[in-house]
Amino acid sequence: GADDLPVGDYTLEVVAEATQAYREATAEAAFNVRPAVVEMITVPPSPGVEFRFDGQTFVADEEGIARLIANQPGIYDVEIVIPEELAATKERAGLNFVRWDDDQFNAKRTIEVYGDMDKHVGLARSYMISLAFLDRNGVEVDPARIEEVVIKSSTGTRYTLEPTAGYVFTSNRVARLNAGLVPTEVQYGLESVIVDGANVVNQNQQRFVITENATWPVDLLLFDAVVRAADAFFGFPVGTGISLTYPSEREEFIAFNENNEAVVHNLARGVYKIQVQGVSGMAPLTPMVISRNQDATLKVLSTLDMAALGTAGAL
């Protein structure tokens, strides 16, 4: 019944008193009461994590296990502490405390120690990742063109990102199952990438998991367009270029080249408006849907065409 002996060396003596049938007998044995060992097992294994226990600090070893020493039975305060150089922030990858293997979710708690025991501690590990935006030919697109990136995780969290920065994302969540705490991967899906006011990815078609210092290749739906302008009746080239209105309502003048063509690369999918510039006559504003590479010739009713119509009408 002696369940609260302090740590130390002891001698146990057993005495059987004499009776009519037996003489007195004694026996001795030496034993040691050692400290109880409480193994704090980090999930996933995280060397360097600290635990404050009974006025001492214990550090997790290379296997991610810290062995706490209790010199007597009782109830103890214990706190998990992630050193600053290991802790995650919005700007730096690292670790965050998630939960214990029971219904405790605070980093500081009490535990009852009456012998050797182990407890599991769930941690979330995050890594710094970057994005590489690629056109349909695998060529990197200038991040300055990207207006907004929205990513949603499998845990339901949505992130709106600056395209030119690095990002810290959590690689795992910690679930409590019958077998204990189990780390599971967090997946991330691209919801939208906005270029010139249009979304250039299909929602959640591109998915990723987090690995250390990873670069995610983001494939953008960008297309090329070749536009010409020709006289409606006689077919000869007309104009000096086109005015292109993007889905974002931004306007740009694109001059015709030596082949009388306006060539525009890597247009975001969407609806554009085009008007031929530098013509005498009627050059209406023409909508053009970009969902693949386009090759279009715009017809312009020039003053020559209108004069020919007038002459034909008079005749």
Coordinates of all heavy atoms in Angstrom, one line a residue, residues 68-139:
L68 N 10.2 13.5 -19.4 CA 10.1 14.4 -18.2 C 10.3 13.5 -17.0 O 9.9 12.3 -16.9 CB 8.7 15.0 -18.1 CG 8.4 16.2 -19.0 CD1 8.8 16.0 -20.5 CD2 6.9 16.6 -18.9
I69 N 10.9 14.0 -15.9 CA 11.2 13.3 -14.7 C 10.3 13.8 -13.6 O 10.4 15.0 -13.2 CB 12.7 13.4 -14.3 CG1 13.5 12.9 -15.5 CG2 13.0 12.6 -13.1 CD1 13.3 11.5 -15.9
A70 N 9.5 12.9 -12.9 CA 8.7 13.2 -11.8 C 9.3 12.5 -10.6 O 9.3 11.2 -10.5 CB 7.2 12.8 -12.0
N71 N 9.7 13.2 -9.6 CA 10.3 12.6 -8.4 C 9.4 12.1 -7.4 O 9.8 11.4 -6.4 CB 11.3 13.6 -7.7 CG 12.5 13.9 -8.6 OD1 13.1 13.0 -9.1 ND2 12.8 15.2 -8.8
Q72 N 8.1 12.4 -7.5 CA 7.1 11.8 -6.6 C 5.8 11.9 -7.3 O 5.5 12.6 -8.2 CB 7.1 12.6 -5.3 CG 6.7 14.0 -5.4 CD 6.8 14.8 -4.1 OE1 7.6 14.4 -3.2 NE2 6.0 15.7 -3.9
P73 N 4.9 11.0 -6.9 CA 3.5 11.0 -7.5 C 2.8 12.3 -7.2 O 3.1 13.0 -6.2 CB 2.8 9.8 -6.8 CG 3.9 9.0 -6.2 CD 5.0 10.0 -5.8
G74 N 1.8 12.6 -8.0 CA 1.0 13.8 -7.8 C 0.6 14.5 -9.1 O 0.7 13.9 -10.2
I75 N 0.0 15.7 -8.9 CA -0.5 16.4 -10.1 C 0.5 17.5 -10.4 O 0.9 18.3 -9.5 CB -1.9 17.0 -9.8 CG1 -2.9 15.8 -9.5 CG2 -2.4 17.9 -10.9 CD1 -4.3 16.3 -9.1
Y76 N 0.8 17.6 -11.7 CA 1.9 18.6 -12.1 C 1.3 19.5 -13.2 O 0.5 19.1 -14.0 CB 3.1 17.8 -12.7 CG 3.9 17.1 -11.7 CD1 3.5 15.8 -11.3 CD2 5.0 17.6 -11.1 CE1 4.3 15.0 -10.4 CE2 5.8 16.9 -10.2 CZ 5.4 15.6 -9.8 OH 6.1 14.9 -8.9
D77 N 1.9 20.7 -13.2 CA 1.6 21.6 -14.3 C 2.7 21.3 -15.4 O 3.8 21.1 -15.1 CB 1.8 23.1 -13.9 CG 0.7 23.6 -13.0 OD1 -0.5 23.1 -13.2 OD2 1.0 24.4 -12.1
V78 N 2.2 21.2 -16.6 CA 3.1 21.0 -17.7 C 2.8 22.0 -18.9 O 1.6 22.3 -19.1 CB 3.1 19.6 -18.2 CG1 1.7 19.2 -18.7 CG2 4.1 19.3 -19.3
E79 N 3.8 22.5 -19.5 CA 3.5 23.5 -20.6 C 4.5 23.1 -21.8 O 5.7 22.9 -21.6 CB 3.8 24.9 -20.1 CG 3.5 25.9 -21.2 CD 3.8 27.4 -20.7 OE1 4.3 27.5 -19.6 OE2 3.4 28.3 -21.5
I80 N 3.9 23.1 -23.0 CA 4.7 22.9 -24.2 C 5.1 24.3 -24.7 O 4.3 25.2 -24.7 CB 4.0 22.2 -25.3 CG1 4.9 22.1 -26.5 CG2 2.6 22.8 -25.6 CD1 4.3 21.2 -27.6
V81 N 6.4 24.5 -25.0 CA 6.9 25.8 -25.4 C 7.7 25.5 -26.7 O 8.6 24.7 -26.8 CB 7.9 26.4 -24.4 CG1 8.5 27.7 -24.9 CG2 7.1 26.6 -23.1
I82 N 7.3 26.2 -27.8 CA 8.0 26.1 -29.0 C 9.0 27.3 -29.1 O 8.6 28.5 -29.1 CB 7.0 26.2 -30.2 CG1 6.0 25.1 -30.1 CG2 7.8 26.2 -31.5 CD1 5.0 25.1 -31.2
P83 N 10.3 27.0 -29.1 CA 11.3 28.1 -29.1 C 11.1 29.0 -30.3 O 10.5 28.6 -31.4 CB 12.6 27.3 -29.3 CG 12.3 26.0 -28.7 CD 10.9 25.7 -29.1
E84 N 11.4 30.3 -30.1 CA 11.2 31.3 -31.1 C 11.7 30.9 -32.5 O 11.1 31.1 -33.5 CB 11.8 32.6 -30.7 CG 11.5 33.8 -31.7 CD 12.1 35.1 -31.2 OE1 12.6 35.1 -30.0 OE2 12.0 36.1 -31.9
E85 N 12.9 30.3 -32.5 CA 13.5 29.9 -33.8 C 12.8 28.8 -34.5 O 13.0 28.5 -35.7 CB 15.0 29.5 -33.6 CG 15.2 28.3 -32.8 CD 15.3 28.6 -31.3 OE1 15.0 29.7 -30.9 OE2 15.8 27.7 -30.6
L86 N 11.9 28.1 -33.8 CA 11.1 27.0 -34.4 C 9.7 27.3 -34.6 O 9.0 26.6 -35.3 CB 11.2 25.7 -33.5 CG 12.6 25.1 -33.2 CD1 12.4 23.9 -32.3 CD2 13.2 24.7 -34.5
A87 N 9.2 28.4 -34.1 CA 7.8 28.8 -34.1 C 7.5 29.4 -35.5 O 8.2 30.2 -36.1 CB 7.5 29.8 -33.0
A88 N 6.3 29.1 -35.9 CA 5.8 29.6 -37.2 C 5.2 31.0 -37.0 O 4.5 31.2 -36.0 CB 4.8 28.7 -37.8
T89 N 5.3 31.9 -38.0 CA 4.7 33.1 -38.0 C 4.1 33.3 -39.4 O 4.2 32.4 -40.2 CB 5.6 34.3 -37.7 OG1 6.6 34.4 -38.8 CG2 6.4 34.1 -36.4
K90 N 3.4 34.4 -39.7 CA 2.9 34.7 -41.0 C 4.0 34.8 -42.0 O 3.8 34.6 -43.2 CB 2.0 36.0 -41.0 CG 0.7 35.8 -40.2 CD -0.1 37.1 -40.3 CE -1.4 36.9 -39.6 NZ -2.2 38.2 -39.7
E91 N 5.2 35.2 -41.6 CA 6.3 35.4 -42.5 C 7.3 34.3 -42.5 O 8.2 34.3 -43.3 CB 7.0 36.7 -42.2 CG 6.1 38.0 -42.5 CD 5.2 38.2 -41.3 OE1 5.4 37.8 -40.2 OE2 4.1 38.9 -41.6
R92 N 7.2 33.3 -41.5 CA 8.3 32.4 -41.4 C 7.7 31.0 -41.1 O 6.7 30.8 -40.4 CB 9.2 32.8 -40.2 CG 10.4 31.9 -40.0 CD 11.2 32.3 -38.8 NE 10.4 32.1 -37.6 CZ 10.6 32.8 -36.5 NH1 11.6 33.6 -36.4 NH2 9.9 32.6 -35.4
A93 N 8.2 30.0 -41.8 CA 7.8 28.6 -41.6 C 8.2 28.1 -40.2 O 9.2 28.6 -39.6 CB 8.4 27.7 -42.7
G94 N 7.5 27.1 -39.7 CA 7.8 26.6 -38.4 C 6.7 25.7 -37.8 O 6.0 25.1 -38.6
L95 N 6.6 25.7 -36.5 CA 5.6 24.8 -35.8 C 4.6 25.7 -35.0 O 4.9 26.7 -34.5 CB 6.4 23.9 -34.8 CG 7.4 22.9 -35.4 CD1 8.2 22.3 -34.2 CD2 6.7 21.8 -36.1
N96 N 3.4 25.1 -34.9 CA 2.4 25.6 -34.0 C 1.8 24.5 -33.2 O 1.6 23.4 -33.7 CB 1.2 26.3 -34.9 CG 1.6 27.6 -35.4 OD1 2.2 28.4 -34.6 ND2 1.3 27.9 -36.6
F97 N 1.5 24.8 -32.0 CA 0.8 23.8 -31.1 C -0.7 23.6 -31.6 O -1.3 24.6 -31.9 CB 0.9 24.2 -29.6 CG -0.1 23.4 -28.8 CD1 0.2 22.1 -28.4 CD2 -1.3 24.0 -28.3 CE1 -0.6 21.4 -27.5 CE2 -2.1 23.3 -27.5 CZ -1.8 22.0 -27.1
V98 N -1.2 22.4 -31.6 CA -2.6 22.1 -32.0 C -3.4 21.6 -30.8 O -4.4 22.1 -30.5 CB -2.6 21.2 -33.2 CG1 -4.1 20.9 -33.6 CG2 -1.9 21.7 -34.4
R99 N -2.9 20.4 -30.3 CA -3.7 19.8 -29.2 C -2.9 18.7 -28.5 O -1.8 18.3 -28.9 CB -5.0 19.1 -29.8 CG -4.6 18.0 -30.8 CD -5.9 17.2 -31.2 NE -6.5 16.6 -30.1 CZ -7.8 16.3 -30.0 NH1 -8.6 16.5 -31.1 NH2 -8.3 15.7 -28.9
W100 N -3.5 18.2 -27.4 CA -3.0 17.0 -26.7 C -3.8 15.8 -27.1 O -4.8 16.0 -27.9 CB -3.1 17.2 -25.2 CG -2.4 18.4 -24.6 CD1 -2.8 19.7 -24.6 CD2 -1.0 18.4 -24.1 NE1 -1.8 20.5 -24.0 CE2 -0.7 19.7 -23.8 CE3 -0.1 17.4 -23.9 CZ2 0.5 20.1 -23.2 CZ3 1.2 17.8 -23.4 CH2 1.4 19.1 -23.0
D101 N -3.5 14.6 -26.6 CA -4.1 13.4 -27.1 C -5.4 13.2 -26.3 O -6.1 12.1 -26.5 CB -3.2 12.2 -27.0 CG -2.6 12.0 -25.6 OD1 -3.0 12.8 -24.7 OD2 -1.8 11.1 -25.4
D102 N -5.8 14.1 -25.4 CA -7.2 14.0 -24.8 C -7.9 15.3 -25.2 O -7.7 15.8 -26.3 CB -7.1 13.9 -23.3 CG -6.1 14.9 -22.7 OD1 -5.8 15.9 -23.4 OD2 -5.7 14.7 -21.5
D103 N -8.8 15.7 -24.4 CA -9.7 16.9 -24.8 C -9.1 18.2 -24.4 O -9.8 19.1 -24.0 CB -11.1 16.7 -24.3 CG -11.8 15.5 -24.9 OD1 -11.5 15.3 -26.1 OD2 -12.6 14.9 -24.3
Q104 N -7.8 18.3 -24.3 CA -7.1 19.5 -23.9 C -6.5 20.2 -25.2 O -5.8 19.6 -26.0 CB -6.0 19.2 -22.9 CG -6.5 18.7 -21.6 CD -7.3 19.7 -20.8 OE1 -7.0 20.9 -20.8 NE2 -8.3 19.3 -20.1
F105 N -6.7 21.5 -25.3 CA -6.3 22.3 -26.4 C -5.4 23.5 -26.0 O -5.2 24.4 -26.9 CB -7.5 22.7 -27.3 CG -8.2 21.6 -27.9 CD1 -9.3 21.0 -27.2 CD2 -7.9 21.1 -29.1 CE1 -9.9 19.9 -27.8 CE2 -8.5 20.0 -29.7 CZ -9.6 19.4 -29.0
N106 N -5.1 23.6 -24.8 CA -4.2 24.7 -24.3 C -2.8 24.2 -24.1 O -2.6 23.0 -23.7 CB -4.8 25.2 -22.9 CG -6.1 25.9 -23.1 OD1 -6.3 26.6 -24.1 ND2 -7.0 25.8 -22.1
A107 N -1.9 25.0 -24.4 CA -0.5 24.6 -24.3 C -0.1 24.3 -22.9 O 0.8 23.5 -22.6 CB 0.4 25.7 -24.9
K108 N -0.7 25.0 -21.9 CA -0.4 24.7 -20.5 C -1.6 24.0 -19.9 O -2.7 24.4 -20.1 CB -0.2 26.1 -19.8 CG 0.3 25.9 -18.4 CD 0.6 27.2 -17.8 CE 1.2 27.1 -16.3 NZ 1.6 28.4 -15.7
R109 N -1.2 22.9 -19.1 CA -2.3 22.1 -18.5 C -1.7 21.4 -17.3 O -0.5 21.6 -16.9 CB -2.8 21.1 -19.5 CG -1.6 20.2 -20.0 CD -2.1 19.0 -20.8 NE -3.0 18.2 -19.9 CZ -3.7 17.1 -20.4 NH1 -3.6 16.8 -21.7 NH2 -4.5 16.4 -19.6
T110 N -2.5 20.5 -16.6 CA -2.1 19.7 -15.6 C -2.2 18.2 -16.0 O -3.0 17.9 -16.8 CB -2.9 19.9 -14.3 OG1 -4.2 19.6 -14.5 CG2 -2.8 21.3 -13.8
I111 N -1.2 17.4 -15.4 CA -1.3 16.0 -15.6 C -1.1 15.3 -14.3 O -0.5 15.8 -13.4 CB -0.3 15.5 -16.6 CG1 1.2 15.8 -16.2 CG2 -0.5 16.0 -18.0 CD1 2.2 15.2 -17.1
E112 N -1.7 14.1 -14.2 CA -1.6 13.3 -12.9 C -0.6 12.2 -13.2 O -0.8 11.4 -14.1 CB -3.0 12.7 -12.6 CG -3.0 12.1 -11.2 CD -4.4 11.7 -10.8 OE1 -5.3 11.8 -11.7 OE2 -4.6 11.3 -9.6
V113 N 0.4 12.1 -12.3 CA 1.5 11.2 -12.5 C 1.6 10.2 -11.3 O 1.8 10.6 -10.2 CB 2.9 11.9 -12.7 CG1 4.0 10.9 -12.8 CG2 2.9 12.9 -13.8
Y114 N 1.4 8.9 -11.6 CA 1.5 7.9 -10.6 C 2.4 6.7 -11.1 O 2.2 5.6 -10.7 CB 0.2 7.4 -10.1 CG -0.5 8.3 -9.2 CD1 -1.5 9.2 -9.6 CD2 -0.1 8.4 -7.8 CE1 -2.1 10.1 -8.7 CE2 -0.7 9.3 -6.9 CZ -1.7 10.1 -7.4 OH -2.2 11.0 -6.5
G115 N 3.3 7.0 -12.0 CA 4.1 6.0 -12.6 C 4.5 6.4 -14.0 O 4.1 7.5 -14.5
D116 N 5.3 5.6 -14.7 CA 5.7 5.9 -16.1 C 4.4 6.0 -16.9 O 3.4 5.3 -16.8 CB 6.5 4.7 -16.6 CG 7.9 4.7 -15.9 OD1 8.2 5.6 -15.2 OD2 8.6 3.7 -16.1
M117 N 4.5 7.0 -17.9 CA 3.3 7.2 -18.7 C 3.8 7.9 -20.0 O 5.0 8.4 -20.0 CB 2.3 8.0 -18.1 CG 2.7 9.4 -17.6 SD 1.5 10.4 -16.7 CE 0.3 10.7 -18.0
D118 N 3.0 8.0 -21.0 CA 3.3 8.8 -22.2 C 2.1 9.6 -22.6 O 1.0 9.2 -22.3 CB 3.9 7.9 -23.3 CG 2.8 6.9 -23.8 OD1 1.8 7.3 -24.3 OD2 3.1 5.7 -23.7
K119 N 2.4 10.8 -23.2 CA 1.4 11.6 -23.7 C 1.8 12.1 -25.1 O 3.0 12.3 -25.3 CB 1.1 12.8 -22.8 CG 0.4 12.4 -21.5 CD -0.3 13.6 -20.9 CE -1.6 14.0 -21.7 NZ -2.6 12.9 -21.7
H120 N 0.8 12.2 -26.0 CA 1.1 12.7 -27.4 C 0.7 14.1 -27.5 O -0.4 14.5 -27.0 CB 0.4 11.8 -28.4 CG 1.0 10.4 -28.5 ND1 0.8 9.5 -27.5 CD2 1.7 9.8 -29.4 CE1 1.4 8.3 -27.8 NE2 2.0 8.5 -29.0
V121 N 1.5 14.9 -28.2 CA 1.2 16.3 -28.4 C 1.2 16.5 -29.9 O 2.1 16.2 -30.7 CB 2.3 17.2 -27.8 CG1 1.9 18.6 -27.9 CG2 2.5 16.8 -26.4
G122 N 0.0 17.1 -30.4 CA -0.1 17.3 -31.8 C 0.4 18.7 -32.2 O 0.1 19.7 -31.6
L123 N 1.2 18.8 -33.3 CA 1.8 20.0 -33.8 C 1.5 20.2 -35.3 O 1.3 19.2 -36.0 CB 3.3 20.0 -33.6 CG 3.8 19.9 -32.1 CD1 5.3 19.7 -32.1 CD2 3.4 21.1 -31.3
A124 N 1.3 21.4 -35.7 CA 1.2 21.7 -37.2 C 2.5 22.3 -37.6 O 3.0 23.2 -37.1 CB 0.0 22.6 -37.4
R125 N 3.0 21.7 -38.7 CA 4.3 22.2 -39.3 C 3.9 22.9 -40.6 O 3.1 22.5 -41.4 CB 5.2 21.0 -39.6 CG 6.6 21.4 -40.2 CD 7.4 20.2 -40.4 NE 7.7 19.4 -39.2 CZ 8.6 19.7 -38.3 NH1 9.4 20.8 -38.5 NH2 8.8 19.0 -37.3
S126 N 4.5 24.1 -40.8 CA 4.3 24.9 -42.0 C 5.6 25.1 -42.7 O 6.7 25.0 -42.1 CB 3.7 26.3 -41.6 OG 4.6 27.0 -40.7
Y127 N 5.5 25.4 -44.0 CA 6.6 25.6 -44.9 C 6.4 26.8 -45.7 O 5.2 27.2 -46.0 CB 6.9 24.4 -45.8 CG 7.3 23.1 -45.0 CD1 6.4 22.1 -44.9 CD2 8.5 23.0 -44.5 CE1 6.8 20.9 -44.3 CE2 8.9 21.9 -43.8 CZ 8.0 20.8 -43.7 OH 8.4 19.7 -43.0
M128 N 7.5 27.4 -46.1 CA 7.4 28.5 -47.1 C 7.4 28.0 -48.5 O 8.2 27.1 -48.9 CB 8.7 29.4 -46.9 CG 8.7 30.6 -47.9 SD 7.5 31.9 -47.5 CE 8.3 32.6 -46.0
I129 N 6.4 28.4 -49.3 CA 6.3 28.0 -50.7 C 6.2 29.3 -51.6 O 5.9 30.4 -51.1 CB 5.1 27.1 -50.9 CG1 3.7 27.8 -50.7 CG2 5.1 25.9 -50.0 CD1 3.1 28.3 -51.9
S130 N 6.4 29.1 -52.8 CA 6.3 30.2 -53.8 C 5.5 29.7 -55.0 O 5.3 28.4 -55.2 CB 7.6 30.7 -54.2 OG 8.4 29.6 -54.8
L131 N 5.0 30.6 -55.8 CA 4.2 30.3 -57.0 C 5.0 30.6 -58.2 O 5.6 31.7 -58.3 CB 2.9 31.0 -56.9 CG 2.0 30.8 -55.7 CD1 0.7 31.6 -55.8 CD2 1.7 29.3 -55.5
A132 N 4.9 29.8 -59.2 CA 5.4 30.1 -60.6 C 4.3 30.0 -61.6 O 3.7 29.0 -61.8 CB 6.5 29.1 -61.0
F133 N 4.0 31.2 -62.2 CA 2.8 31.3 -63.1 C 3.3 31.0 -64.5 O 4.3 31.6 -65.0 CB 2.2 32.7 -63.0 CG 1.7 33.0 -61.6 CD1 2.5 33.8 -60.8 CD2 0.5 32.5 -61.1 CE1 2.1 34.1 -59.5 CE2 0.1 32.8 -59.9 CZ 0.9 33.6 -59.0
L134 N 2.7 30.0 -65.2 CA 3.2 29.5 -66.5 C 2.0 29.7 -67.5 O 0.9 29.4 -67.2 CB 3.6 28.1 -66.4 CG 4.6 27.7 -65.3 CD1 4.8 26.2 -65.3 CD2 5.9 28.4 -65.5
D135 N 2.5 30.0 -68.7 CA 1.5 30.1 -69.8 C 1.3 28.7 -70.4 O 1.9 27.7 -69.9 CB 1.9 31.1 -70.9 CG 3.2 30.7 -71.6 OD1 3.6 29.6 -71.5 OD2 3.7 31.6 -72.3
R136 N 0.5 28.5 -71.5 CA 0.2 27.2 -72.0 C 1.4 26.6 -72.7 O 1.4 25.4 -73.0 CB -0.9 27.3 -73.0 CG -2.2 27.8 -72.3 CD -3.4 28.1 -73.3 NE -3.8 26.9 -73.9 CZ -3.7 26.6 -75.2 NH1 -3.0 27.5 -76.0 NH2 -4.1 25.5 -75.7
N137 N 2.5 27.3 -72.9 CA 3.7 26.8 -73.4 C 4.8 26.5 -72.3 O 5.9 26.1 -72.6 CB 4.3 27.7 -74.4 CG 3.4 27.9 -75.6 OD1 2.9 26.9 -76.2 ND2 3.3 29.2 -76.1
G138 N 4.4 26.7 -71.1 CA 5.3 26.4 -70.0 C 6.3 27.5 -69.7 O 7.2 27.4 -68.9
V139 N 6.1 28.7 -70.3 CA 6.9 29.9 -70.1 C 6.4 30.7 -68.9 O 5.2 30.9 -68.8 CB 7.0 30.7 -71.4 CG1 7.9 32.0 -71.1 CG2 7.5 29.9 -72.6

